[in-house]
Amino acid sequence: MNVAMNPAPAAARRSPIHDALEARGAEWRDVNGTTFAVRLRDEPAGDDIPAAALCDLSGLNQLGVKGPDAANWLSTAGVDVPADLYESRPLPSGGRVVRFGAHEFFLEDGIAGSKASELSEQLGFGAEQVYRVEHQDATFLLTGPRSLDVMAQTCGIDFREANGGRAIFTRVAGVSCALLPETIADQQAFRLWLDPSYAPYLWEELVVIVESLGGHVVGAGRLFPDLPA
Amino acid sequence: MKILNCPINGPRPLQEFHFGGELRPNPLDRKDGADADWADYVFNRDGEPGVKREWWYHIPSGTWFIAERDNVTDQFQRTYLYGAEQTDG
Amino acid sequence: MPYRLLKYALHKDHPEPRMFRAPERLKEEYDAVIIGGGGHGLGAAYYLAKEHGITSVAVLEKGYIGGGGTGRNTAIVRSNYLTPEGARFYQESVDLFRDLSREFNFNLFYSERGHFTLAHSPASLNTQRWRAEVNKHLGIDSEVVDRAFIKKTVPEIDLDAGGHQAPIYGALYHPPGAIARHDAVAWGYARGADQRGAEIHQQTAVTGVEVRDGEVAGVHTDKGFIKTRKVLSAVAGWTTSITRMVGLRTPLVIHPLQALVTEPLKPWLNSIVVSASLHLYMSQSSRGELVAGASLDPYELISMRSTLDFAEGMSAGMLDLFPFLGDVKILRQWAGLCDMTPDFSPIMGTTPIKGFYIDAGWGTWGFKATPVSGKTMAWTMANDHDHELIKAFNLSRFGRFQLVGEKGAASVGH
Ligand SMILES: Cc1cc2nc3c(=O)[nH]c(=O)nc-3n(C[C@H](O)[C@H](O)[C@H](O)COP(=O)(O)OP(=O)(O)OC[C@H]3O[C@@H](n4cnc5c(N)ncnc54)[C@H](O)[C@@H]3O)c2cc1C
């Protein structure tokens, strides 16, 4: 039964803002079966993180699971299961798992990780009371010293006091997002997950604000220099 | 900015919420089910001034909950998850 | 300075007669008491005296006349409704409005402008086509027009909404759509009622309605008790407070509706422009101010506070259509109360309580109905029987599941 109810997602994912990146002269690279813009034509030279950097990571593998046995199932598979609501933990091979509810979890691989995709393939084979929650979220990463100012202009939450590593469900420029404050290369960063149909709009809004603060849209290669070739 | 306290997500700007109307007894609990009672349930509302128990929805997280609000002063007095009104919201 | 104005500066006393008298005190008894000195209540008093010879009437107003929805609306009058009952009723109101300035000998600045309901998608254009066909079938002057027609009539409009919003595909056009000076409507009816013997008591709040054996016996006010056998509740956004006094259940819920005006400009906008997608309707008053309103506030509230959210959203919509307004200032913003019904039609006529009449459920659409409501409610009170034009709007329709669905005709899909 579970097999039929939990079809694995189709293989290749394409970012919902693929066209916007293409228009910025994206240099594409396939990593773990998904395509990333590693560098954009107008990016500043060098590899510094600009005042504010906006990066699309919508290709990352995601998995949502829920059900009475979801926590147990994840833990048996070697995942460090977050105990509290909205808490997040690193996945063994990079990426994060976030507790979205009493019995609901969201996993996203790191750029080189594969745990979420492995688990996704296993889900449904003999796992009772664990069900897939379909996720095709867009993932945006915002970082740099002025990323706080971008959030201040678009969201009602004061992130100066936000607790890193805990997800927050809120609205950014009017779009419902799950948001994870984190630290990348010693810089404050924010990961935004959102319904892909809103992604082109939110991307456009964020780009305007990021650029008005002297920031840039950057490829994944700048934030993750050890990206596999 | 007006703030509403979601029992799950904490204090948030009102723009993150959707109003779901007054909390009303489930009509299926009624034994009679006469047309007039059904019409009363379907159409009539307690639109009078006073403190109301209402459904509110935190949009980004998908959380439905109950708020007690004075519909004249617009003060939220308590919020809690449905069924949890005994415990302090 | 014209002499007429100078007179005011030189006179110690007010040089012109008041629009209506201010009676010293309430009488012990009236043939009829009307709660609410808005256009509807004053209109009912006027027609009771003029058409039914009932002049022992007190209109009780807790604030000042026209201080409710009557003086707060965006003053749009139109009849492009969708049900036979609605279309007939509002068309009668439009016909009454056209003659009202002459009847009052008082200028209401009733001004037919043409009313556009913009369609921002092919689907919406199809809906407007359907509305036009239903309207034509009901004898209402209404048609679908294309972009070129809109541009020719409103040259300042940006048909592509600056690229920020979906472009305009066409519009429903209703040539008789009009605006009027709303407080003058209240004053006109007040003066006419007063001249025919009715009393208008401002600063007099009704605090209770006395019902004995299912019949009205009088009303309690903050200035004492009045005996009467007929009471009309014409308090629109305050109706739930009055129905509570008599124990009537209704579907009414109250939401604020907000509006604003800009600083006055030279006349440039002749038409009334409505965009459901942008939640906006807009016209230019005879004073030159742009008058604009939005959709209902998103939750129930019996308070006339206004919000920054509204001013922001409203400005954004106005700029999408008319980018050149960028430097124009907002002069003031305000809110009124709207008593919403589930079918977007009013609640009018007799009630299960003998002698208690209701005129409510005016939501966001009641200004245009002022004359016809006054007239039909007066008839209903005089005959203790619903007037033909309002039979379908009786409160009992909900118990019979016979709604009069006009949501599709609401201007911005509240
Ligand atoms: C912003 C806004 C825009 C609108 N735009 C339009 C439009 O363009 N076209 C349209 O047709 N309609 C419009 N409307 C709706 C319209 O304004 C109302 O439906 C209409 O004015 C109702 O008139 P009324 O005479 O019934 O009530 P009101 O004018 O509201 O009068 C009711 C009166 O009752 C008094 N009262 C209340 N309680 C008591 C009491 N206990 N004792 C004594 N007196 C009491 C109040 O003080 C008030 O003066 C709009 C409304 C708003 C708020």
Side-chain angles (χ1 to χ4, degrees), chain C residues 374-391:
Chain C
K375 199 168 173 137
T376 54
M377 285 311 304
W379 193 97
T380 300
M381 291 173 75
N383 295 283
D384 195 25
H385 175 64
D386 287 344
H387 185 282
E388 196 52 40
L389 276 178
I390 64 169
K391 274 203 170 117

Side-chain angles (χ1 to χ4, degrees), chain B residues 25-85:
Chain B
N26 187 336
L28 300 178
D29 293 344
R30 292 180 184 231
K31 291 189 191 65
D32 37 29
D35 275 4
D37 288 323
W38 183 241
D40 181 63
Y41 172 77
V42 172
F43 299 116
N44 287 339
R45 295 292 180 274
D46 290 325
E48 302 156 359
V51 176
K52 304 283 156 166
R53 289 203 296 160
E54 303 169 329
W55 284 107
W56 284 80
Y57 179 66
H58 182 241
I59 302 162
S61 68
T63 311
W64 280 105
F65 62 96
I66 308 294
E68 290 178 6
R69 183 178 67 99
D70 185 322
N71 70 2
V72 177
T73 62
D74 205 14
Q75 298 290 323
F76 288 94
Q77 303 189 340
R78 294 209 303 162
T79 54
Y80 43 83
L81 293 178
Y82 179 72
E85 50 268 64

Side-chain angles (χ1 to χ4, degrees), chain A residues 98-226:
Chain A
V98 191
R99 189 169 202 131
F100 272 9
H103 301 289
E104 181 171 348
F105 300 87
F106 173 70
L107 289 74
E108 185 177 76
D109 276 334
I111 203 142
S114 57
K115 192 75 189 171
S117 52
E118 283 164 29
L119 284 173
S120 178
E121 276 161 35
Q122 287 164 24
L123 180 60
F125 294 94
E128 291 291 333
Q129 309 219 19
V130 185
Y131 310 103
R132 182 185 303 279
V133 179
E134 194 56 45
H135 272 280
Q136 297 288 345
D137 299 9
T139 306
F140 299 162
L141 196 65
L142 174 70
T143 185
R146 303 215 59 185
S147 54
L148 263 176
D149 298 322
V150 179
M151 295 315 298
Q153 286 193 38
T154 52
C155 179
I157 287 177
D158 185 352
F159 286 102
R160 286 172 304 187
E161 281 147 35
N163 180 352
R166 271 181 79 84
I168 298 171
F169 283 82
T170 184
R171 298 190 114 179
V172 179
V175 177
S176 288
C177 294
L179 197 148
L180 192 67
E182 50 187 90
T183 307
I184 289 184
D186 294 333
Q187 296 277 353
Q188 166 86 70
F190 299 93
R191 185 177 296 256
L192 277 70
W193 289 298
L194 63 145
D195 184 302
S197 58
Y198 291 104
Y201 158 77
L202 185 59
W203 179 260
E204 209 178 294
E205 294 300 306
L206 290 175
V207 166
V208 169
I209 296 168
V210 161
E211 291 184 343
S212 74
L213 293 171
H216 290 279
V217 177
V218 300
R222 180 174 300 249
L223 303 182
F224 304 97
D226 45 359

